[in-house]
């Protein structure tokens, strides 16, 4: 078994913190996905909460965000970069193939600074969407490897 983890992080040198987002995660293979979570950080002094993503593996219009409410003293987590979501794919069947991955973001908002609870939405056309591939490469079975090792030992003894 082999496991691959894909994730998204918020990273900005200009804005205070990640505010909210709505996105789709698309893969052309449904099986093998697990531990699909949206990480929702509420503040630097609190632990992050996770919720299950809808769909397997299609996270259709998954919504995530964090609270920033002044003057009540609820602060967004300004961690930079901040983990936003993760998904894991475990290969148990090794037929040669490619698994195509893609994200489509329909909303992305950031908190402007630490003094105000105001946020601004970014034009999604300006965002860099994620895409990639997982390549499944067949491996020889353990029995074939043992047979090859035995053949090598017999040849060395001669």
């Amino acid at each position: 078994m082999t496991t691959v983890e894909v994730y998204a992080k918020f990273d900005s040198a200009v804005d205070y913190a990640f505010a909210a987002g709505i996105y789709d995660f698309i893969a052309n293979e449904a099986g093998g996905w697990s531990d699909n979570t949206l990480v929702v950080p509420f503040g630097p002094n609190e632990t992050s909460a996770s919720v299950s993503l809808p769909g397997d593996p299609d996270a259709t219009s998954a919504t995530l965000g964090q609270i920033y409410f002044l003057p009540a003293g609820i602060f967004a987590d300004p961690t930079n970069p901040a983990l936003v979501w993760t998904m894991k794919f475990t290969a148990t069947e090794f037929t040669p193939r490619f698994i195509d991955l893609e994200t489509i973001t329909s909303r992305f908002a950031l908190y402007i600074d630490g003094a105000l609870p105001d946020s601004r939405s970014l034009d999604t056309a300006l965002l860099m969407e994620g895409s990639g591939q997982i390549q499944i490469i067949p491996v020889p079975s353990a029995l074939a490897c043992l047979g090859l090792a035995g053949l090598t030992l017999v040849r060395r003894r001669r």
Side-chain angles (χ1 to χ4, degrees), residues 63-118:
T63 303
L64 60 156
Q66 62 178 341
I67 298 170
Y68 188 47
F69 187 64
L70 295 176
I74 301 171
F75 298 94
D77 185 352
T79 303
N80 193 2
L83 183 63
V84 177
W85 59 262
T86 65
M87 300 185 90
K88 291 182 181 175
F89 178 81
T90 302
T92 56
E93 193 270 310
F94 290 93
T95 302
R97 64 194 183 281
F98 289 95
I99 301 169
D100 297 318
L101 311 172
E102 180 182 11
T103 62
I104 300 171
T105 306
S106 56
R107 178 174 184 240
F108 196 83
L110 302 168
Y111 289 115
I112 299 166
D113 63 48
L116 301 169
D118 298 333

Side-chain angles (χ1 to χ4, degrees), residues 11-147:
D11 191 2
S12 173
V14 178
D15 296 289
Y16 175 71
F18 170 75
I22 300 174
Y23 78 95
D24 293 328
F25 175 82
I26 300 151
N28 65 344
E29 185 170 315
W33 294 95
S34 65
D35 297 333
N36 307 328
T37 56
L38 299 177
V39 181
V40 187
F42 288 100
N45 299 320
E46 300 178 35
T47 58
S48 296
S50 297
V51 294
S52 295
L53 290 175
D56 183 28
D58 296 308
T60 305
S61 299
T63 303
L64 60 156
Q66 62 178 341
I67 298 170
Y68 188 47
F69 187 64
L70 295 176
I74 301 171
F75 298 94
D77 185 352
T79 303
N80 193 2
L83 183 63
V84 177
W85 59 262
T86 65
M87 300 185 90
K88 291 182 181 175
F89 178 81
T90 302
T92 56
E93 193 270 310
F94 290 93
T95 302
R97 64 194 183 281
F98 289 95
I99 301 169
D100 297 318
L101 311 172
E102 180 182 11
T103 62
I104 300 171
T105 306
S106 56
R107 178 174 184 240
F108 196 83
L110 302 168
Y111 289 115
I112 299 166
D113 63 48
L116 301 169
D118 298 333
S119 66
R120 66 181 177 105
S121 289
L122 298 179
D123 179 358
T124 54
L126 301 176
L127 296 176
M128 182 174 66
E129 295 291 353
S131 65
Q133 282 186 329
I134 299 171
Q135 181 179 8
I136 306 297
I137 301 171
V139 295
S141 70
L143 189 57
C145 287
L146 285 174

